[in-house]
Amino acid sequence: MSPQTRAWPRRVQQTLRRYPVTATLALIVLVTSVTAVALRVQHGTQPASFGPLRVFAASTGLLAILVTIAGVVVLIGASERLMGPWRTIVAFVVTTVVGTGVGALTAFVDSDGRDVGHLLLGRATAFDPWTAIVGTIVTASAFAGTLWRRRIRANALAVVAALLLYAGHVSDLYAVLAAAAGWVLGELLRRTPKRTGWLRSSHREIRVLLGTVVLVSAVGPVIALVSRARVGLLAPLAAVVGAGPVSPVRGCRTDGAAGECLRGLLSFRATDPWTLVLAVAPLLVLLVGGLGLFRGSRFAVWLVVVVDVVTGVAAAVTYGLVPGRVTALHGLEDQFVVDVSIAASIVVPLATAVVLVLLRRSFTVLPSRRRTVAFVVTVGIAALVLVTVVLVVAASSPARVEDPVRLALAALGPLAPVSFWDRLPSLDPALRLVVGLSGPVLWVVVALAAVRPTGAVEPDTDADGSRAARERARALLLAGGGDTFGWMTTWLGNQYWFAADGRAGVAFRRNGAVAVTVGGPFGWPDARERAMTDFARYCDDNGWTAAFYGVEADVAEHLTRQGWGTLPVAEDADFDPRTWTTTGKKKQDVRTAVNKARREGITATWSSWQDLHASTVRQIEAISEEWVAERELPEMGFTLGGVDEMRDPAVRTLVAQDAEGTVLAVTSWLPSHRDGRVVGWTLDVMRRTEHAPNGVMEFLVASAAEQMRDAGVERLSLSAAPLAQVSDPEAPTDGVQNLLELVGGVLEPVYGFRSLLRFKQKFGPDLHPLVLAYPDPVALPAIGIAVVRAYLPDLSFRQAVAFARGRR
């Protein structure tokens, strides 16, 4: 027997001791579920005596039992790890009691003449394990970090809300109430300091959350179409995508009685696989769009917006144009519920579209023009072909088609208003089949054509800086190199200009009529001066003002000789790591931090993002999200990277971890090249947990210096803290410098750029001033605004005013 096999029982025993509540609940669920199945088989129904234990019994069927046990092991296990055994038990019991107890009170609202006491008792015992599972994991989310707290709550609420809104089973209501109870209970049980108010999300997290919402909205109608008791508030949306020539609803005529039509729409259900396949076709577009949102695709935003708007309008037309709808179906009370349900089916998709439009700036990956044109052409040709086929079949049909325009519009898909189908039953069966197939085929074509521009399968490029341009810039950096901001020119969002001979280039971001460069030119050193002049001329030819931001003072002399002005904006701090040592009085703090970290067993791992362990990656993402959430201003960009930039295979991360593998802090380093080899590294991202010991950042930078010293690297740059510099009281000032000083002062409590500059001075680096070079003092106000906009493109006017007042 191998040592691994002999150790297996001991590992199982350790796991059971570590998660006693999870193990006990999993065993109870298994036993009670199997017992329930056996009793049901033996007696034909579940005995009443088994009712009190129903909370532990999964639905009948092997798959349901396995899924429920997996839910207990994964979700209850995660809850127990986050908040301990006794809190897990409290959450399991309290959320179940509150969810079922409050949900059972609905017996007083919709008793329909039945005995309220008997109905109340029946509903109070009609729960299942998922009510407790959902309530427990939402309670535990309060003990997770910012990233996973938000993700757990968003995903849990999205799933239970979709089930309630589309299917509407009583157990779905209990799960929603249990989730709400868990949210409150978690905040009561957590004793750590709580931050009130809205926690800001990074662009990446916004993509994840909105992508999840869109995917759930795509699955919701499918749930409603196959549900046997479809009473959810958004159930009418299922009929919008499901009803049509294949499965028509009786009574839906523009001149007929509406009661039968509305009753049929509200109770519509896909009873056969064929109807379900046809109804799911438009939802495939939302699925592709949701995957594109995860990748940050702006094209996916507009794709989902269009589908949601079409869905909302189709629902409005379908239910709004049915005459006589004010007549009650089952009395005035039912009519009110129907009206609210129909209104929600119209408002929810439109509201989702509005939210996506408002947050579209978080989706920075723009599609290439070629892929956009290919999408439009493909969809246009498909629509034209399908309509032509329908009209040709209609012309050859023995039955007379009175309204070919309505027929052509009906061929555009399941989202066409239901009244468009009112005359199709009298048409030729072949024509009805062609019309019924044309819509789903068109939506499938739209979904397939959108795969590439949304990046649902492979990432697309951005329009402002195409992949070819970025690769060209990358090649120039590898061959000739660049300055402090060199590798930042390869980031998404930059535009590029290249010299006529291809030996140098400039990366820039344009705001209005101002083109702000990302540092100076990159490429072959002997071609950079000429590139500055030619780029300035290129901007002038396009009616723009060139502003070289963050260029070294000696490089800017080429422009000052031509009459340009300069303003100091930052200090670049670097040193030669080949001579690195922690000796000396000036480096006392660094030396103390390194010795302390080594005594506590803290290690520093130098690695690319792709080589990091999956658990390390998740911890880094959580740390970064926590850092963003603590800031009152939007996430900054331009020359400040984040997790997305750390994923570049050329970038290196340096991770500080304790003896148990917990990530305490992380830094990222951008390469500098010459003749195809790395000659330097520049510090970019710096993140740490709130529980990290003091001095962990000093330890990481010192470890990086040792790593580079051993590798023979020539230059270690601590980068330039934007809008921060060593003050010179004798230096002249003007309007734009005062503006940048004001912005730097406002951002200091939020981002700590000036404190960062003081931190870097602990390592005894050489300081090199970086300047803003401008051609005309008249353009300085516009240049200052453009620089601020480059760093904070999402800054609202209200936020700007609030922070400016705070500064004063």
Side-chain angles (χ1 to χ4, degrees):
M1 182 179 296
S2 65
Q4 292 80 4
T5 304
R6 289 195 302 268
W8 185 79
R10 181 171 53 85
R11 292 177 180 176
V12 172
Q13 186 178 11
Q14 290 176 347
T15 302
L16 294 177
R17 289 179 177 177
R18 186 176 181 183
Y19 300 100
V21 176
T22 302
T24 303
L25 291 177
L27 180 62
I28 293 176
V29 169
L30 176 61
V31 172
T32 53
S33 298
V34 172
T35 304
V37 173
L39 291 174
R40 187 173 288 109
V41 171
Q42 180 179 357
H43 299 280
T45 183
Q46 183 169 287
S49 60
F50 193 73
L53 294 179
R54 195 179 303 172
V55 66
F56 297 109
S59 302
T60 57
L62 177 60
L63 180 61
I65 295 175
L66 293 178
V67 171
T68 303
I69 293 177
V72 171
V73 172
V74 175
L75 300 180
I76 300 296
S79 302
E80 190 171 5
R81 182 177 61 83
L82 286 171
M83 58 181 178
W86 75 267
R87 290 191 183 94
T88 302
I89 296 175
V90 170
F92 192 94
V93 174
V94 171
T95 57
T96 303
V97 172
V98 173
T100 56
V102 176
L105 297 179
T106 57
F108 293 101
V109 179
D110 60 348
S111 61
D112 291 335
R114 292 171 288 179
D115 180 64
V116 175
H118 181 73
L119 184 62
L120 183 64
L121 179 61
R123 292 188 177 182
T125 58
F127 41 69
D128 59 32
W130 283 101
T131 301
I133 292 172
V134 170
T136 303
I137 189 62
V138 173
T139 303
S141 67
F143 297 84
T146 301
L147 175 66
W148 287 104
R149 177 165 63 250
R150 186 158 38 207
R151 286 187 177 180
I152 291 172
R153 291 175 176 177
N155 285 282
L157 293 179
V159 171
V160 297
L163 291 171
L164 176 65
L165 293 175
Y166 286 101
H169 298 159
V170 66
S171 59
D172 302 328
L173 173 62
Y174 295 165
V176 171
L177 294 173
W183 193 317
V184 176
L185 180 62
E187 295 300 321
L188 294 177
L189 292 177
R190 184 167 62 99
R191 297 179 179 179
T192 56
K194 304 175 180 61
R195 178 180 173 180
T196 59
W198 175 256
L199 294 180
R200 185 173 301 281
S201 299
S202 66
H203 294 314
R204 182 178 184 82
E205 187 63 10
I206 290 175
R207 299 168 189 170
V208 171
L209 296 178
L210 289 180
T212 301
V213 170
V214 171
L215 290 181
V216 170
S217 70
V219 176
V222 179
I223 296 174
L225 285 172
V226 301
S227 176
R228 295 183 178 181
R230 185 168 56 85
V231 294
L233 198 62
L234 296 182
L237 275 179
V240 173
V241 300
V246 177
S247 301
V249 177
R250 293 181 178 273
C252 291
R253 304 188 303 273
T254 55
D255 57 352
E260 182 183 4
C261 172
L262 188 58
R263 187 180 295 108
L265 288 171
L266 295 177
S267 61
F268 180 83
R269 179 169 172 260
T271 56
D272 58 274
W274 174 247
T275 302
L276 182 61
V277 169
L278 296 182
V280 166
L283 303 178
L284 292 177
V285 182
L286 285 179
L287 179 63
V288 172
L291 295 176
L293 294 179
F294 284 119
R295 293 187 178 273
S297 169
R298 185 75 61 86
F299 185 92
V301 170
W302 295 117
L303 179 69
V304 175
V305 166
V306 169
V307 174
D308 280 338
V309 169
V310 171
T311 303
V313 172
V317 174
T318 295
Y319 295 103
L321 291 187
V322 178
R325 191 177 62 80
V326 296
T327 303
L329 298 180
H330 304 291
L332 182 60
E333 181 181 346
D334 287 345
Q335 184 60 49
F336 174 74
V337 175
V338 169
D339 288 340
V340 173
S341 181
I342 291 174
S345 300
I346 298 170
V347 170
V348 168
L350 296 179
T352 303
V354 170
V355 171
L356 284 170
V357 172
L358 294 177
L359 298 178
R360 65 188 184 278
R361 288 185 178 273
S362 294
F363 300 86
T364 55
V365 180
L366 305 179
S368 62
R369 182 175 301 178
R370 177 176 55 84
R371 292 191 175 184
T372 303
V373 172
F375 172 83
V376 174
V377 171
T378 302
V379 173
I381 292 177
L384 181 61
V385 169
L386 290 171
V387 172
T388 302
V389 170
V390 169
L391 295 179
V392 169
V393 174
S396 60
S397 175
R400 182 171 177 269
V401 179
E402 298 180 359
D403 194 348
V405 175
R406 179 186 293 269
L407 190 65
L409 292 176
L412 294 180
L415 298 187
V418 70
S419 59
F420 280 17
W421 314 118
D422 62 343
R423 299 186 182 183
L424 289 183
S426 62
L427 298 179
D428 180 76
L431 180 57
R432 291 185 64 241
L433 179 62
V434 171
V435 174
L437 288 176
S438 61
V441 169
L442 177 61
W443 283 104
V444 170
V445 170
V446 172
L448 294 176
V451 168
R452 295 195 69 193
T454 58
V457 174
E458 59 176 293
D460 198 359
T461 60
D462 59 320
D464 291 338
S466 66
R467 177 178 298 176
R470 284 202 308 277
E471 291 301 324
R472 185 178 178 184
R474 208 175 177 104
L476 274 176
L477 284 166
L478 290 172
D483 57 16
T484 301
F485 297 123
W487 201 255
M488 299 175 188
T489 61
T490 65
W491 292 353
L492 289 174
N494 293 329
Q495 295 176 259
Y496 298 95
W497 171 90
F498 294 98
D501 58 5
R503 301 182 72 245
V506 175
F508 64 96
R509 301 199 180 192
R510 187 167 64 88
N511 184 278
V514 178
V516 181
T517 69
V518 185
F522 54 86
W524 299 99
D526 61 341
R528 296 181 193 175
E529 285 192 357
R530 174 67 181 273
M532 298 177 76
T533 304
D534 291 347
F535 174 73
R537 185 178 296 110
Y538 163 78
C539 291
D540 188 62
D541 291 341
N542 285 276
W544 308 336
T545 299
F548 285 89
Y549 177 80
V551 297
E552 297 176 1
D554 55 347
V555 174
E557 290 181 359
H558 174 70
L559 295 173
T560 58
R561 290 195 296 267
Q562 302 177 41
W564 286 52
T566 60
L567 291 173
V569 293
E571 298 278 355
D572 183 18
D574 65 2
F575 59 86
D576 188 342
R578 292 173 295 184
T579 60
W580 167 255
T581 178
T582 57
T583 60
K585 184 177 180 180
K586 292 183 178 180
K587 299 177 183 176
Q588 175 64 43
D589 292 344
V590 177
R591 185 166 58 252
T592 301
V594 171
N595 293 334
K596 177 183 177 183
R598 290 173 176 170
R599 285 196 306 270
E600 296 179 355
I602 299 175
T603 59
T605 304
W606 178 270
S607 171
S608 66
W609 183 272
Q610 290 72 23
D611 293 335
L612 291 173
H613 192 274
S615 63
T616 303
V617 169
R618 290 194 296 269
Q619 292 182 73
I620 294 174
E621 291 175 341
I623 292 172
S624 182
E625 193 64 29
E626 186 88 28
W627 186 88
V628 173
E630 292 174 352
R631 267 61 190 171
E632 299 294 340
L633 283 177
E635 187 176 11
M636 297 186 73
F638 193 34
T639 63
L640 297 171
V643 171
D644 289 340
E645 288 72 25
M646 293 170 68
R647 296 175 182 272
D648 187 338
V651 175
R652 293 294 179 266
T653 59
L654 188 61
V655 186
Q657 295 173 283
D658 62 17
E660 298 180 353
T662 302
V663 176
L664 303 175
V666 61
T667 57
S668 70
W669 300 83
L670 310 178
S672 299
H673 294 83
R674 187 174 62 245
D675 298 329
R677 64 185 184 90
V678 177
V679 295
W681 294 95
T682 300
L683 178 63
D684 181 27
V685 175
M686 298 177 66
R687 300 282 192 272
R688 54 169 289 172
T689 66
E690 59 181 2
H691 305 295
N694 293 332
V696 68
M697 281 300 175
E698 288 87 344
F699 166 69
L700 277 181
V701 174
S703 299
E706 293 176 359
Q707 168 75 26
M708 297 176 198
R709 179 187 60 196
D710 297 340
V713 174
E714 301 175 9
R715 178 175 179 267
L716 183 155
S717 172
L718 297 173
S719 192
L723 308 177
Q725 55 180 315
V726 178
S727 60
D728 183 0
E730 299 181 359
T733 60
D734 52 26
V736 72
Q737 188 167 10
N738 291 335
L739 172 63
L740 297 179
E741 282 286 334
L742 172 63
V743 173
V746 168
L747 296 179
E748 176 60 23
V750 184
Y751 295 101
F753 294 140
R754 296 174 180 175
S755 301
L756 182 60
L757 178 59
R758 291 192 293 271
F759 164 81
K760 294 174 180 179
Q761 289 177 317
K762 294 181 179 181
F763 301 89
D766 299 323
L767 297 179
H768 310 285
L770 301 180
V771 301
L772 167 69
Y774 58 91
D776 186 357
V778 176
L780 279 175
I783 292 174
I785 294 174
V787 171
V788 175
R789 274 296 180 190
Y791 279 109
L792 292 166
D794 298 328
L795 183 67
S796 66
F797 179 77
R798 179 186 59 82
Q799 290 170 329
V801 171
F803 274 85
R805 288 178 176 175
R807 172 62 176 170
R808 291 196 299 268

